[in-house]
Amino acid sequence: MFACAAPAQVPDAPPAAPAAPLPPSSVTAPAKSQPGSFLGRDVPAFDPGSEILSWDGRSWNVNNNRLFQARFEKYLNAPEETSETDRRYQALIAEVLVRLAPSQANKANVDYSFRLLFNASNYDADARLCASLADAVYTVWLAQRQQARLTSANETLRHARHSAYFKLATSNTGGSLESTTTTSNTQKTATGTGTTSEVVKSAAQQGRAAVELAELEAAIKANEAKRALSEIQAKVEFQALMVQFFLQRRYQHVLMASRFYRALFTDGDSKLNLGKDATELFARSSGQPPTVSVLDSLANEAVRDVREGIRAFEFLLEKSELDSATKRLAEAFTVGEFMPEIRTLPREKKRRVVDFSHKGFQLISALDVKDYTLAETLVKELAVIAKDFDSSKPTAAIETARQLASFQIAKARNAAIGGDRPALEAALTAATEAWPRNPELTEVSKLIFSQGDVQQKAVIDFDQLLSQKNYRQIYTDSGRFIAALATYPDRQKQLQEVLEHMKSIETALLRADEMARQSNYAGAWESVEKAFAQFPDDTRLNQQRASLTTQAADFVRTVRAAQDLEKQEQIGSSLAWYLKAQKLYPQSEFAGEAIGRLVKRVLPQE
């Protein structure tokens, strides 16, 4: 009966996946990552030759990245992990790797290594990753136990199926309902006592045996499907954890996981069920399809590369070649940040590159914002502390910016002198773009703008002095006004007239001084008096005139008396006084011109 086979079924939890086995690619990530996936459109790829990291369609230099700088600086200033606790942790990891080696991975060592994972997960350096690995191992064991139960259930079901086949075969010797019915009818005709009830009963027994057989076959197939799906899911989950360890650069955990994998799955299938991007990444790196062995070899190669990088760093540090030493340490840190060779590096050695790294990052930032003054200072400092520092590129950038800025500043000066304000602004803008914090640019800008202020003040002063007819002050500050009024044609014309007037005044004063030195005070006064008649507001002219009036008092009094009488139309008396003045100073132009004028009035020409 079918009821006897029911206890052999394994009760199922609510299914989390379809009952039929899924292809490996559908169990893991899809072949093509969507834009919203946590790894972007592709997986990270690092090119150690160019120090370029590509991820999600973008590329950047790992040594010139804010996130890398922060992590690298934090590492450089962190103490070395060489305490007793750190040594015990590394000893546990080493013991697990030894016990899981291909020649040592027996059941006892696998079980013991599983217990060591829980001990290792208690250390801060582990970040509970060993606990995650232990959970994955335990999940595989549960899956394998489930498979064993399913195998046992199928054995019971197969035994029940054999019994069902036997029942179906022996339920009636006729072997079929038609033959049984024919036999029964023959018997009924011969004996007269047969009925159809026996025929119906035999047919019912055959039907129940057939249904029971079909149900047993379906149960066996379902258990086989569950067993296959359980094995695939266990492998995929374990492989996903291995890949995660690899992307996290936890290469020791990758090695432990790969050795656990070989010990747990003994079917020889080590192919990684990955998406398209990850498959291509591993294929490009190894030239082979992605397998557990490829992942293991890549992790071992990364470990070797880190060790070699640290040895190179220590050698370069001894040679005081801090530039190369810092690059080698940064490369090793990028590849294997959590390797013991990285974590146990003494802080004293790391601190030697801290200052160089700070200045290097600062130089990159200074060049980026075009602060070439700071960049030039940093280049000199880096060249002192690192014998192998290559200053050619930053120096070339600085010199190029300096020449371009100097050229634009010269153009700005010429434009300022010529009064070409648009050209001045364009040149200053170009100079600012070439070198924003150029000290020379700051000085020139202050000078030009201060000159602009001086120019405006000079224009105001000129207008004020001109309105006051203070030509003497304009003449004294003529140099300032000539430069300030260069862009004002109307005022330039006024200034030229003032200077011409002052030239006449100064000429008269010079002549008067020369005559005074010769004691010809009458002639000196007369020279000043002529200029005074034209420019009565000049202070120096007035002062000289007053002084000479006293020194040539008789001549001055005689001339003024003659002038007053002429104004009163007393021609004869005026002429007499002019003749007297001419007698006092025979070369007098005043007296000579007046006598000639008055004679014409007394003796008119016919």
Side-chain angles (χ1 to χ4, degrees), residues 151-368:
T151 301
S152 177
N154 278 349
E155 290 297 329
T156 303
L157 290 173
R158 289 189 182 93
H159 180 72
R161 182 181 62 181
H162 180 73
S163 300
Y165 273 122
F166 180 77
K167 288 181 180 179
L168 181 62
T170 60
S171 60
N172 189 285
T173 56
S176 67
L177 181 61
E178 182 180 358
S179 61
T180 303
T181 303
T182 303
T183 304
S184 298
N185 290 335
T186 303
Q187 291 176 353
K188 178 180 177 182
T189 302
T191 62
T193 59
T195 63
T196 60
S197 60
E198 293 180 358
V199 176
V200 173
K201 182 177 180 180
S202 176
Q205 289 177 350
Q206 288 180 340
R208 285 195 299 271
V211 170
E212 181 178 357
L213 180 61
E215 291 177 346
L216 289 173
E217 289 288 352
I220 291 173
K221 294 297 184 182
N223 284 342
E224 289 178 351
K226 292 176 184 178
R227 182 175 178 275
L229 180 60
S230 176
E231 182 179 1
I232 291 175
Q233 287 179 333
K235 283 187 176 182
V236 167
E237 291 177 3
F238 205 95
Q239 291 175 0
L241 182 62
M242 292 174 61
V243 174
Q244 177 184 336
F245 286 157
F246 186 82
L247 294 179
Q248 289 176 325
R249 297 170 296 165
R250 295 280 188 167
Y251 302 118
Q252 290 179 309
H253 292 77
V254 173
L255 297 176
M256 289 190 295
S258 66
R259 296 182 183 184
F260 266 115
Y261 186 90
R262 293 188 180 92
L264 295 172
F265 301 103
T266 58
D267 55 359
D269 181 15
S270 62
K271 181 180 178 181
L272 293 178
N273 298 294
L274 303 174
K276 179 181 178 181
D277 293 332
T279 300
E280 292 179 353
L281 170 66
F282 286 106
R284 288 195 304 267
S285 303
S286 62
Q288 300 292 332
T291 63
V292 174
S293 297
V294 170
L295 202 63
D296 185 272
S297 64
L298 290 176
N300 279 310
E301 178 62 24
V303 170
R304 185 204 62 80
D305 186 68
V306 170
R307 290 172 180 168
E308 185 175 312
I310 293 300
R311 286 195 296 267
F313 163 75
E314 292 178 336
F315 174 78
L316 293 169
L317 197 63
E318 292 177 359
K319 300 296 182 180
S320 296
E321 298 178 4
L322 286 177
D323 188 14
S324 297
T326 302
K327 290 179 181 178
R328 301 295 82 77
L329 181 59
E331 292 167 0
F333 176 80
T334 303
V335 174
E337 178 180 354
F338 305 102
M339 288 297 298
E341 289 78 10
I342 295 288
R343 310 313 300 183
T344 58
L345 194 65
R347 182 157 58 178
E348 305 83 65
K349 293 183 178 180
K350 295 188 293 184
R351 285 294 300 174
R352 291 188 59 184
V353 303
V354 168
D355 184 52
F356 182 83
S357 298
H358 283 175
K359 293 184 184 299
F361 293 144
Q362 193 176 6
L363 175 60
I364 293 173
S365 300
L367 292 174
D368 187 46

Side-chain angles (χ1 to χ4, degrees), residues 29-43 275-278:
K32 182 176 182 180
S33 300
Q34 299 299 322
S37 64
F38 79 101
L39 284 180
R41 291 185 293 273
D42 55 12
V43 294
K276 179 181 178 181
D277 293 332

Side-chain angles (χ1 to χ4, degrees), residues 583-600:
K583 184 178 180 180
L584 292 175
Y585 177 43
Q587 291 83 19
S588 173
E589 294 181 6
F590 279 173
E593 291 175 358
I595 291 172
R597 182 174 61 252
L598 292 177
V599 168
K600 290 179 181 179

Side-chain angles (χ1 to χ4, degrees), residues 446-460:
K446 289 181 179 178
L447 179 60
I448 291 175
F449 291 119
S450 64
Q451 286 177 348
D453 296 339
V454 171
Q455 182 184 27
Q456 294 300 320
K457 187 176 185 305
V459 171
I460 295 173

Side-chain angles (χ1 to χ4, degrees), residues 28 31 47 118 144 193 205 224 268 367 448 464 466 526 546 562 587 603 606:
T28 58
D47 181 6
F118 290 99
Q144 290 176 345
T193 59
Q205 289 177 350
E224 289 178 351
L367 292 174
I448 291 175
Q464 183 178 3
L466 189 65
E526 192 173 88
Q587 291 83 19
L603 300 173
E606 295 181 356

